[in-house]
């Protein structure tokens, strides 16, 4: 019996690895799980279906041009070579390409970035600014050779022939185009002389328009201090820059119409305003002239003139008085006059009070002499019946009860008889 060959772990692992490595340039379909984007730029994940799992590694040099962000739960198709990681004994696929299943990578990236920037507030309508009514200087960021720049210049110069237009030429597609567009927006902001910017290009495929879907362009528009109009492609095309810009134009030509008014229309409006203003001023002038003529005919003007002459004369006299010519001397004089008036007033008040006192004494004496109590003091009395003063004996009957008021005290009595 031959002795069975015994392998070490490393030996069997290497042989298995050599067998696995025969699976080159293969495509695998599965669902991403356990996705880990490493700080180095490498991506590690698992691909699974309902029965099996395989590890995957997508290194930085291969994934740096990936158009979307992989995430757990995403169905993808990956391309690469099978390999075995000897340290753990796990086999894996070293990925060099990855595509989302069922949707294009660019479209998926578009939707992902749209959601991300919307959450950050870059699409908020409250931050969007109105375009100036009459921009003095318009900046355009686009290709110098495309149809878009020709269309915009034609429309702008037709609507406002002497408008100031400056082109900042950039590439609008391909590698580095997004960075050039963002740099042009920043440069024009630093210049500070522009009133509005138009960024855009003509129509094309999603790949052709992709530079305007890049995050670097979106953020450059967001921080721009100058209002930005996005004019990319045709009316049916939407880009990330459309959502961030202050205004989206369906085409470059439409953008040119939106940023500047028609000069002919403005001149006509100004002419109409001038005519209306002239008519209003003429009406007011005629009404004022009519009132002025009435004043002249009514003699009111002469009365006003006389009043004005009198006032001027009084002012002239006042200006000649000592109060104006010698104010200090006039103040001293006025103080003396005040002292004299004060002394006269005190004397008058004293004399008035003495007269009033004498009058009060006289009146008091008269009142005192008429006081019934003083009469009673001389021996007289007052007879009353039921509180009524009796002046005639005929007012009493035999047996009536009467009251008699004396100088000191009172008595009650009864009528026994009467006489003349």
């Amino acid at each position: 019996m031959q002795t069975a060959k015994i392998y070490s772990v490393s030996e069997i692992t290497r042989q298995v690895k050599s067998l696995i490595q025969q699976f080159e340039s293969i495509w695998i379909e599965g669902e991403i799980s356990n996705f880990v984007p490493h700080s180095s730029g490498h991506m590690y994940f698992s691909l699974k279906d309902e029965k099996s799992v395989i590890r995957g590694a997508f290194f930085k040099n291969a994934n740096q041009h990936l158009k979307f962000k992989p995430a757990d739960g995403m169905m993808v198709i990956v391309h690469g070579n099978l390999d075995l990681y000897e340290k753990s004994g796990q086999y894996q696929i070293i990925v060099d390409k990855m595509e989302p299943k069922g949707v294009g990578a660019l479209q998926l990236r578009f939707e992902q970035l749209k959601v991300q920037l919307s959450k950050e507030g870059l699409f908020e309508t409250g931050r969007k600014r109105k375009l100036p009514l009459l921009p003095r200087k318009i900046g355009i960021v686009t290709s110098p050779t495309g149809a878009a720049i020709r269309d915009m210049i034609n429309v702008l110069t037709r609507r406002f022939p002497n408008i100031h237009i400056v082109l900042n030429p950039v590439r609008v597609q391909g590698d580095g185009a997004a960075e050039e567009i963002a740099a042009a927006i920043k440069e024009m902001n630093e210049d500070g002389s522009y009133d509005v910017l138009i960024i855009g290009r003509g129509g094309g495929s999603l790949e052709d328009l992709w530079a305007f879907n890049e995050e670097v362009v979106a953020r450059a528009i967001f921080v721009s201090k100058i209002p930005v109009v996005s004019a990319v492609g045709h009316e049916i095309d939407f880009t990330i820059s459309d959502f961030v810009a202050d205004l989206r134009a369906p085409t470059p030509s439409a953008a040119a119409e939106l940023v500047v008014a028609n000069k002919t229309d403005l001149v006509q409006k100004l002419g109409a305003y001038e005519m209306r203003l002239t008519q209003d001023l003429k009406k007011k002038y005629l009404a004022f002239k009519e009132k002025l003529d009435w004043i002249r005919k009514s003699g009111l003007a002469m009365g006003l003139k006389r009043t004005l002459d009198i006032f001027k004369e009084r002012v002239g006299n006042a200006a000649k008085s000592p109060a104006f010519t010698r104010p200090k001397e006039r103040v001293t004089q006025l103080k003396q006059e005040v002292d004299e008036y004060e002394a006269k007033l005190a004397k008058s008040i004293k004399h008035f009070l003495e007269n009033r006192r004498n009058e009060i004494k006289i009146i008091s004496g008269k009142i005192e002499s008429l006081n019934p109590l003083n009469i009673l003091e001389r021996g007289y009395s007052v007879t009353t019946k039921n509180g009524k003063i009796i002046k005639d004996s005929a007012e009493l009957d035999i047996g009536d009860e009467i009251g008699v008021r004396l100088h000191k005290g009172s008595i009650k009595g009864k009528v026994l008889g009467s006489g003349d």
Side-chain angles (χ1 to χ4, degrees):
M1 182 177 177
Q2 293 182 342
T3 304
K5 180 174 176 57
I6 300 174
Y7 293 92
S8 67
V9 175
S10 298
E11 288 174 335
I12 194 65
T13 300
R14 280 193 296 270
Q15 289 199 24
V16 172
K17 181 177 182 177
S18 65
L19 291 173
I20 289 176
Q21 287 178 337
Q22 295 177 20
F23 291 89
E24 296 179 343
S25 189
I26 64 171
W27 290 91
I28 300 177
E29 174 187 325
E31 178 186 338
I32 295 177
S33 63
N34 302 317
F35 180 76
V36 178
H38 196 272
S39 59
S40 63
H42 305 326
M43 299 177 181
Y44 301 100
F45 55 91
S46 297
L47 280 181
K48 65 178 183 177
D49 59 19
E50 62 275 6
K51 295 180 180 180
S52 302
V53 177
I54 182 174
R55 293 292 299 167
F58 200 1
F59 297 122
K60 180 180 179 180
N61 61 341
N63 70 38
Q64 59 184 345
H65 297 296
L66 192 63
K67 297 299 184 182
F68 68 98
K69 293 182 179 180
D72 289 344
M74 186 180 294
M75 292 297 296
V76 295
I77 302 172
V78 299
H79 177 273
N81 303 320
L82 289 187
D83 197 4
L84 187 142
Y85 187 45
E86 295 182 28
K87 189 173 182 179
S88 64
Q90 285 187 325
Y91 85 104
Q92 59 185 356
I93 180 169
I94 306 301
V95 178
D96 54 36
K97 294 178 183 178
M98 179 183 289
E99 294 288 343
K101 184 182 178 183
V103 63
L106 290 178
Q107 186 62 38
L108 180 59
R109 175 57 180 154
F110 175 87
E111 297 298 337
Q112 289 177 332
L113 185 58
K114 183 179 174 183
V115 171
Q116 174 192 333
L117 298 182
S118 178
K119 289 181 179 178
E120 293 183 28
L122 271 69
F123 303 162
E124 289 291 335
T125 56
R127 55 160 291 275
K128 296 181 184 294
R129 296 154 294 190
K130 291 184 177 180
L131 303 186
L133 177 62
L134 288 174
R136 292 169 297 177
K137 189 174 181 181
I138 299 172
I140 301 178
V141 179
T142 190
S143 169
T145 59
I149 184 61
R150 293 194 299 271
D151 292 342
M152 285 188 281
I153 290 176
N154 287 337
V155 173
L156 288 170
T157 54
R158 184 182 73 246
R159 291 175 67 81
F160 215 102
N162 57 339
I163 194 73
H164 190 181
I165 306 168
V166 177
L167 169 65
N168 195 325
V170 296
R171 289 179 294 168
V172 293
Q173 68 183 71
D175 292 340
E179 287 72 20
E180 287 188 18
I181 295 169
I185 295 172
K186 180 181 179 182
E187 179 184 335
M188 288 179 150
N189 271 269
E190 291 173 348
D191 179 277
S193 63
Y194 296 90
D195 297 306
V196 64
L197 300 181
I198 303 175
I199 65 167
R201 56 155 291 158
S205 65
L206 181 59
E207 290 80 3
D208 294 337
L209 307 180
W210 190 254
F212 296 90
N213 288 319
E214 292 285 5
E215 185 174 353
V216 64
V217 174
R219 297 199 181 277
I221 297 172
F222 181 72
V223 300
S224 174
K225 296 178 181 178
I226 307 169
V228 177
V229 179
S230 176
V232 182
H234 301 300
E235 190 167 356
I236 60 173
D237 298 317
F238 281 88
T239 62
I240 295 296
S241 65
D242 292 336
F243 297 109
V244 185
D246 296 285
L247 183 66
R248 184 233 176 204
T251 64
S253 297
E257 292 182 353
L258 289 170
V259 299
V260 67
N262 190 306
K263 187 175 183 179
T264 303
D265 293 343
L266 287 175
V267 171
Q268 291 177 350
K269 287 182 180 179
L270 288 174
Y273 291 149
E274 182 182 10
M275 184 180 298
R276 189 184 303 170
L277 180 61
T278 302
Q279 291 174 348
D280 290 344
L281 289 175
K282 187 176 180 180
K283 288 180 180 178
K284 290 183 178 180
Y285 167 75
L286 292 175
F288 178 77
K289 184 175 181 299
E290 184 178 350
K291 290 181 179 179
L292 188 62
D293 291 341
W294 178 82
I295 291 173
R296 287 172 178 169
K297 293 177 181 178
S298 66
L300 181 62
M302 292 302 297
L304 291 173
K305 185 176 183 303
R306 284 195 296 272
T307 301
L308 183 61
D309 290 340
I310 294 171
F311 179 75
K312 286 181 179 179
E313 183 178 356
R314 289 179 179 177
V315 171
N317 294 335
K320 296 175 183 178
S321 68
F324 283 88
T325 56
R326 297 186 300 279
K328 185 175 180 179
E329 182 177 323
R330 178 57 178 163
V331 170
T332 303
Q333 180 182 348
L334 289 174
K335 285 182 178 179
Q336 292 176 350
E337 291 178 4
V338 169
D339 292 340
E340 291 175 2
Y341 285 131
E342 185 178 1
K344 289 179 180 179
L345 180 62
K347 185 176 180 180
S348 297
I349 292 173
K350 183 178 180 182
H351 180 69
F352 174 80
L353 292 176
E354 288 177 352
N355 289 338
R356 297 291 83 75
R357 288 194 192 99
N358 293 332
E359 289 177 2
I360 291 170
K361 286 181 180 179
I362 294 171
I363 293 171
S364 297
K366 292 180 178 179
I367 293 172
E368 189 69 22
S369 64
L370 296 175
N371 190 343
L373 297 178
N374 292 334
I375 296 174
L376 296 178
E377 187 178 2
R378 295 199 296 272
Y380 292 96
S381 65
V382 177
T383 302
T384 61
K385 175 185 175 182
N386 297 328
K388 180 182 178 182
I389 297 176
I390 301 301
K391 298 180 181 179
D392 189 343
S393 61
E395 297 178 23
L396 297 174
D397 296 322
I398 302 299
D400 286 344
E401 292 184 353
I402 59 174
V404 180
R405 174 68 184 271
L406 305 174
H407 174 60
K408 291 183 179 181
S410 61
I411 59 175
K412 291 182 179 182
K414 184 178 287 187
V415 177
L416 299 177
S418 63
D420 295 334

